[in-house]
Amino acid sequence: DTAVSQTPKYLVTQMGNDKSIKCEQNLGHDTMYWYKQDSKKFLKIMFSYNNKELIINETVPNRFSPKSPDKAHLNLHINSLELGDSAVYFCASSQGSQVHQPQHFGDGTRLSIL
Amino acid sequence: QKEVEQDPGPLSVPEGAIVSLNCTYSNSAFQYFMWYRQYSRKGPELLMYTYSSGNKEDGRFTAQVDKSSKYISLFIRDSQPSDSATYLCAMSASGNKLVFGAGTILRVKS
């Protein structure tokens, strides 16, 4: 049974489009994250939510908007997609927002902008 | 200069070898240190966590932190082909935001 699931796994779209990535966790965790992993494999935090409240909001363009309808879900909406948005986006969850709590990652959404 | 530097490899070793993976960092405020393992086309998974300086051992894995040198290491004993993956170091100052290294690709040949 998948712990952190992301949909879709692959997303190929044109520049300028708007797209959403969905994430769900069934671990009962109260903290969820979005990370971006670029072509050089750097994994960078974008957002973090604890109990549906935004607690980390890194320097990310306004075109990226996270939404947490409940503790088990954290979606990422991206407006006006640009070539530089091509990357793998990972959702993760943990029990508590302290880093020593293991973060459980999904398998990523591979976004390619044409 | 990046906050966390990690040699991307690839590092190729024969089965049974001892593997040493390393990261250096520049932010002296870092006090939480982790190693994550990432298999191809999968998300990272936490391997080891260390708070402040010292060593921690878990089975074939040993994590070391030397805060005076701003240097952390992960040792893998008796390496197996199943250890072939990308190893990411990660660290934090505040305790709620992780900064990752770029990852080292490890290949263990049977």
Side-chain angles (χ1 to χ4, degrees), chain B residues 32-61:
Chain B
Y32 303 88
F33 303 93
M34 281 116 207
W35 286 95
Y36 277 78
R37 177 176 62 196
Q38 185 176 18
Y39 290 113
S40 181
R41 304 221 163 249
K42 293 290 187 183
E45 55 178 329
L46 181 65
L47 268 182
M48 301 285 284
Y49 159 69
T50 313
Y51 173 71
S52 193
S53 282
N55 294 358
K56 188 169 184 178
E57 190 173 319
D58 184 1
R60 296 185 295 112
F61 298 89

Side-chain angles (χ1 to χ4, degrees), chain B residues 75-90:
Chain B
F75 297 96
I76 308 174
R77 288 184 298 283
D78 187 26
S79 55
Q80 303 294 309
S82 58
D83 295 327
S84 298
T86 298
Y87 289 80
L88 303 157
C89 62

Side-chain angles (χ1 to χ4, degrees), chain A residues 40-52:
Chain A
K40 294 185 179 172
K41 299 296 187 184
F42 268 106
L43 198 59
K44 283 199 70 175
I45 182 78
M46 298 173 71
F47 303 103
S48 173
Y49 273 74
N50 177 257
N51 283 315
K52 296 171 37 180

Side-chain angles (χ1 to χ4, degrees), chain A residues 2 5 7-8 27 31 34 36 39 54 60 67-68 71-73 76 78 81 85 93 103-104 110 114:
Chain A
T2 307
S5 59
T7 51
L27 297 166
T31 305
W34 276 110
K36 179 181 180 181
S39 56
L54 184 65
V60 174
K67 281 192 172 51
S68 182
K71 284 194 329 182
H73 295 85
L76 184 66
I78 316 170
L81 281 157
D85 297 333
S93 73
Q103 293 185 20
H104 296 254
R110 282 150 186 82
L114 303 177

